Amino acid sequence: SLASQIGDYQFDNLLLNAAGVRCASTDELDKILDSDAGGCVTKSATPEPRKGNESPRMKATSMGCINSMGLPNHGLDYYLKFAETNQGKSGKQVVLSVAGLSIKQNIEMLKKIQESSFAGLTELNLSCPNIAGKSQVGYDFEAVRDVLTSAFSFFKKPLGLKLPPYFDFNQFDGIAEVLNDFPVTYINSINSIGNGLVVDPDTESVVIKPKGGFGGLGGDYVKPTALANVRALRLRLKPEISIIGTGGIKSGKDVFEHVLCGASLVQIGTAFGFDGTPIFERISKELKEIMAEKGYHTLADFRGKLKTI
Ligand code: DHB
């Protein structure tokens, strides 16, 4: 079985899309709910609809992709309505992702969600790298503490946090110390590696237009960083905080590695962008084959059981 659980929420399959590609319209979200995925995650919402950055704003490479989308989305009301209507239908979860451009916007959106009938998981994105002039909140631990203090003063629904990748043990220690002070339901590591730069030597140019070509990396580039973040945070967070592993997943083997590091669910971004919804059936089959070969029946048989040497 590929069943898993986050807080009080049961997922028949641990695979979800990552907030990002192919999840901005209700059509796209319906397709994910109709697939083998355990549920869907909405494109991160802002209080009002946004067109996002100028194109070209996403470029595929042989190792993954770089993007600077700039949060194009239909606005919170659109996703909240979808989430209220579809959450829990035929056993599928709808995760509502929100990414305010300020702490004030995040609090305003959480208030709206608190007052709504939505009873699923909300994922607060503290790690969008692509808004010119705005730094990623997840790298400012005191700002994270402020937003969580303010949020949990009124937000009584289950809350997850989408975190940026951390690269230093001081950062793993620092963010865990903050998170362990709050009733966070889960963290999701990692968002894209922010502000990478892909160069085309033929044209001697950058490959995306916004921010002078700098953008978030996804795909093969990020898998070891993602595994490090899942593992390092699993070793530091209190057990009540579950972990969603995101980063570099394109096969059942990649999921197996994320679960070994401590992931309860996983999300697929870049590879879902390349393959679309058939990816959930393929990766489920690959993961089941690996588990059968190893004699594992449930994810709990190997979750977090990475060996050191
Ligand atoms: C976008 C990219 C991100 O990595 C993110 O977390 C949110 C938004 C974007 O550019 O749309």
Side-chain angles (χ1 to χ4, degrees), residues 26 29-30 33-34 39-40 42 78-95 118 120:
T26 54
L29 292 164
D30 281 332
L33 290 178
D34 284 342
C40 70
T42 67
Y78 177 96
Y79 299 106
L80 186 52
K81 183 171 163 219
F82 178 86
E84 287 177 318
T85 312
N86 292 283
Q87 159 60 23
K89 259 202 208 162
S90 26
K92 301 274 179 130
Q93 306 294 339
V94 176
V95 177
F118 176 58

Side-chain angles (χ1 to χ4, degrees), residues 80 83-85 87 112-120 157:
L80 186 52
E84 287 177 318
T85 312
Q87 159 60 23
K112 209 170 204 179
I113 296 167
Q114 177 63 33
E115 287 158 13
S116 78
S117 68
F118 176 58
K157 295 181 176 180

